[in-house]
Amino acid sequence: MKKIIVILIVFLFASCQNNKRASLIIDKNISLKVEDDFSDSPMCLNYNSNLNAISYLTFNFLNRKTEIHCFDKKTLKLSKKYSLDSLLGYETPIHGYEILEDNKIFLSGLMNTEAYISDKNFRVEDKFSLNYEDSIRNISIYNFVPRSTGPVLLKNNNLYFSPRLNSIKREDFYNKNIFYSYNINSNRYNDLIKFYFPGEYIKSNFFSHEYSSCFNENEIIISPINSHDIWIYNIDNNKYRKVEAKSDNFRKFKNYSEKQKTMQENLYDYCAFSLYTNIIYDKYRKVYYRVFLPGTDIDLNDKNLSFERENPKKIAILIFDDKFNKIGENLFDNYSFLANFFVAPDGLYVNSNNKGSKKFKEGFLNFTKLNLNYD
């Protein structure tokens, strides 16, 4: 009898755990002052937990150079600036960076094949080429730029990353690897990770090679823009699985099988159709956020299409627990946010520089802190 009671208690506890619900609650706004002659749109954004600092990549319109601006998260004051030029060891332009373990930093550019590993002060320690071809194993790597949608993981001296996939024909993506690894000690590409686009997705009318990715301690998580599924690859045991992660606010996906469209039609598609943007791992709360643009009703000839593309009216954030069970979803309306984020110990910070919002502040990089709340 006691054994039955214990089993019932365990079952009820597990059921309660699976039924828990979560939501994101707006807490406070923070603003980082953008210096004159610099872009107020961050090319790349990171939070450094060791320094409790917010840093982002920006562009100096006067000297045409990229710089890293670091803000103390407590005071919100600019604490350091780094010009990514030859004085720090850079020979090519930089357009993205990722803070790795041991305060090392990975940096690379859009129009070149050079990549760099720097120290915490962005001084180059090592560089290597991302230009690599192996037709036998179908490896084609020529460029990678870390962004919020495509981070880099350094584990056991191996860099795990996804390069730009430059293919025109749909059939080129069958058995085409999404992720690769590179050993920074031996300067060699390791055996490729056999992680491909699912065949049924490639065959669908909604196939796009665009996706977002993130990492947990031992897994790569992929969020394709036009699929309700997310794909999960375990680095340690090479196992692959997929789970459904659908938004409650879904309208319809863009049909990519249609013939080439005009720029006006492409702008309309981006505004009107649904797509998933970022997938984010919150290591402090052991949850995942999947960012979703539901799309909006708008006319093809609307003069504000370009504005609506850059400043979405609606944005949804889906919440999943550490086992990828969906536990919540928030829909934010009225031009609240942009799809640009960073995760800190005290919460999720969302870029609120949406120019359609009444709260928009010119000359500042604005963020809203969202707290994870369980019902």
Side-chain angles (χ1 to χ4, degrees):
M1 185 66 181
K2 289 183 179 180
K3 185 176 180 180
I4 294 174
I5 293 173
V6 170
I7 292 173
L8 283 172
I9 291 172
V10 171
F11 174 78
L12 289 171
F13 177 78
S15 298
C16 290
Q17 288 292 99
N18 291 333
N19 292 328
K20 68 181 180 180
R21 301 297 297 169
S23 59
L24 291 166
I25 307 298
I26 293 177
D27 183 354
K28 65 178 182 180
N29 298 312
I30 64 171
S31 296
L32 309 179
K33 183 71 175 72
V34 177
E35 292 198 338
D36 293 339
D37 303 316
F38 282 89
S39 169
D40 62 357
S41 179
M43 298 162 65
C44 192
L45 180 73
N46 278 282
Y47 170 73
N48 189 321
S49 57
N50 295 318
L51 303 176
N52 193 29
I54 306 163
S55 64
Y56 67 91
L57 186 66
T58 185
F59 185 74
N60 187 324
F61 293 112
L62 288 180
N63 63 20
R64 316 297 295 174
K65 290 184 179 180
T66 51
E67 295 187 9
I68 302 286
H69 288 191
C70 301
F71 289 79
D72 184 283
K73 187 174 175 295
K74 187 175 181 179
T75 65
L76 303 181
K77 301 294 184 183
L78 181 64
S79 56
K80 290 184 179 180
K81 294 196 299 183
Y82 300 93
S83 184
L84 304 181
D85 54 24
S86 59
L87 294 178
L88 288 178
Y90 299 96
E91 299 173 357
T92 51
I94 299 298
H95 300 103
Y97 71 105
E98 177 83 10
I99 299 173
L100 308 173
E101 62 184 32
D102 300 327
N103 269 331
K104 292 186 181 297
I105 302 168
F106 175 92
L107 308 95
S108 63
L110 281 170
M111 306 304 294
N112 54 77
T113 61
E114 294 298 317
Y116 304 88
I117 300 290
S118 79
D119 63 16
K120 65 180 181 179
N121 294 314
F122 294 93
R123 185 170 295 279
V124 173
E125 291 184 339
D126 193 14
K127 68 175 183 177
F128 56 94
S129 175
L130 285 173
N131 189 16
Y132 181 77
E133 295 284 342
D134 187 333
S135 58
I136 296 176
R137 294 191 294 164
N138 194 29
I139 299 178
S140 178
I141 300 172
Y142 75 98
N143 188 284
F144 171 71
V145 179
R147 299 288 179 96
S148 58
T149 54
V152 181
L153 173 70
L154 178 60
K155 183 176 181 179
N156 299 326
N157 294 317
N158 286 315
L159 280 171
Y160 293 91
F161 64 96
S162 179
R164 294 179 67 190
L165 301 175
N166 187 31
S167 295
I168 297 175
K169 298 179 181 178
R170 181 182 298 219
E171 53 267 28
D172 289 345
F173 290 99
Y174 285 100
N175 298 325
K176 189 177 186 66
N177 286 36
I178 300 175
F179 263 82
Y180 300 87
S181 61
Y182 178 86
N183 188 282
I184 61 175
N185 285 344
S186 64
N187 294 324
R188 293 179 59 187
Y189 287 90
N190 296 339
D191 289 337
L192 55 88
I193 304 171
K194 298 188 182 301
F195 189 6
Y196 309 133
F197 285 105
E200 64 271 20
Y201 181 51
I202 299 175
K203 292 177 184 177
S204 75
N205 291 332
F206 310 110
F207 171 71
S208 168
H209 66 272
E210 296 182 62
Y211 56 86
S212 170
S213 63
C214 71
F215 301 96
N216 60 28
E217 287 76 13
N218 62 345
E219 291 177 316
I220 302 168
I221 299 92
I222 294 284
S223 171
I225 68 167
N226 267 13
S227 172
H228 298 306
D229 294 334
I230 56 176
W231 314 322
I232 304 158
Y233 182 90
N234 190 297
I235 296 171
D236 296 331
N237 60 24
N238 298 323
K239 289 186 177 180
Y240 161 85
R241 60 193 172 105
K242 67 177 180 179
V243 297
E244 186 178 73
K246 183 178 180 180
S247 171
D248 298 333
N249 296 282
F250 173 69
R251 289 159 51 96
K252 56 183 177 179
F253 289 132
K254 175 181 176 179
N255 188 335
Y256 279 85
S257 65
E258 297 176 352
K259 58 189 298 185
Q260 189 72 28
K261 298 186 175 183
T262 65
M263 182 167 292
Q264 182 77 2
E265 289 173 326
N266 283 327
L267 282 173
Y268 168 80
D269 288 350
Y270 193 91
C271 298
F273 292 106
S274 303
L275 73 153
Y276 294 94
T277 59
N278 305 55
I279 184 78
I280 304 161
Y281 177 53
D282 185 338
K283 66 180 181 180
Y284 304 103
R285 284 154 287 274
K286 303 297 182 183
V287 296
Y288 300 87
Y289 309 111
R290 193 181 194 190
V291 185
F292 180 70
L293 299 181
T296 188
D297 292 320
I298 194 168
D299 188 79
L300 173 63
N301 298 313
D302 195 305
K303 295 180 180 180
N304 293 319
L305 279 177
S306 182
F307 178 87
E308 294 289 337
R309 184 191 186 284
E310 299 298 328
N311 301 276
K313 183 177 182 180
K314 297 179 181 181
I315 187 169
I317 304 177
L318 291 66
I319 311 167
F320 300 87
D321 65 17
D322 59 350
K323 294 181 174 57
F324 296 99
N325 298 304
K326 185 179 177 182
I327 56 176
E329 179 173 355
N330 287 77
L331 177 66
F332 299 96
D333 207 341
N334 300 318
Y335 302 99
S336 299
F337 303 127
L338 301 177
N340 194 233
F341 306 80
F342 70 87
V343 178
D346 60 331
L348 173 68
Y349 285 80
V350 189
N351 188 335
S352 49
N353 261 34
N354 193 314
K355 293 180 180 179
S357 172
K358 295 179 181 178
K359 299 179 181 178
F360 175 71
K361 293 169 63 177
E362 192 79 41
F364 288 86
L365 187 55
N366 306 295
F367 293 91
T368 298
K369 178 189 168 190
L370 302 178
N371 290 332
L372 182 66
N373 179 65
Y374 288 97
D375 299 339

